Amino acid sequence: MNEKKMMDNELDNVSGGALLNNEFYVVEPGDTLSEIAVKFGTSVKKLLALNPRITNADLIYAGEAIRIR
């Protein structure tokens, strides 16, 4: 993960994954970008803007940290 090095004390449990410093969400198996957007009160369009490396909204990977704010 390039954005930040994850440390145990920086993680907060969130249903379906972990939230890192209130800025990043760690994708869990089965997560979709649209479900993540709903969970954090945002839109897929905004998540894509915050994560330009995601070029296909239907293709995210478990273990990947994505910016949510």
Side-chain angles (χ1 to χ4, degrees):
M1 165 177 15
N2 297 4
E3 292 88 8
K4 285 189 164 190
K5 182 178 179 184
M6 286 179 30
M7 300 177 71
D8 290 338
N9 63 350
E10 294 178 319
L11 292 176
D12 292 321
N13 289 330
V14 176
S15 177
L19 186 60
L20 175 61
N21 289 336
N22 291 324
E23 292 182 25
F24 293 88
Y25 174 77
V26 180
V27 178
E28 290 291 310
D31 279 348
T32 66
L33 211 53
S34 60
E35 289 171 339
I36 294 168
V38 168
K39 185 181 296 187
F40 293 103
T42 190
S43 67
V44 170
K45 184 176 180 177
K46 181 157 184 172
L47 290 178
L48 289 171
L50 290 169
N51 298 279
R53 73 184 183 290
I54 300 175
T55 57
N56 180 343
D58 296 322
L59 191 58
I60 58 174
Y61 300 96
E64 173 181 25
I66 60 169
R67 183 177 289 277
I68 55 165
R69 293 183 177 84

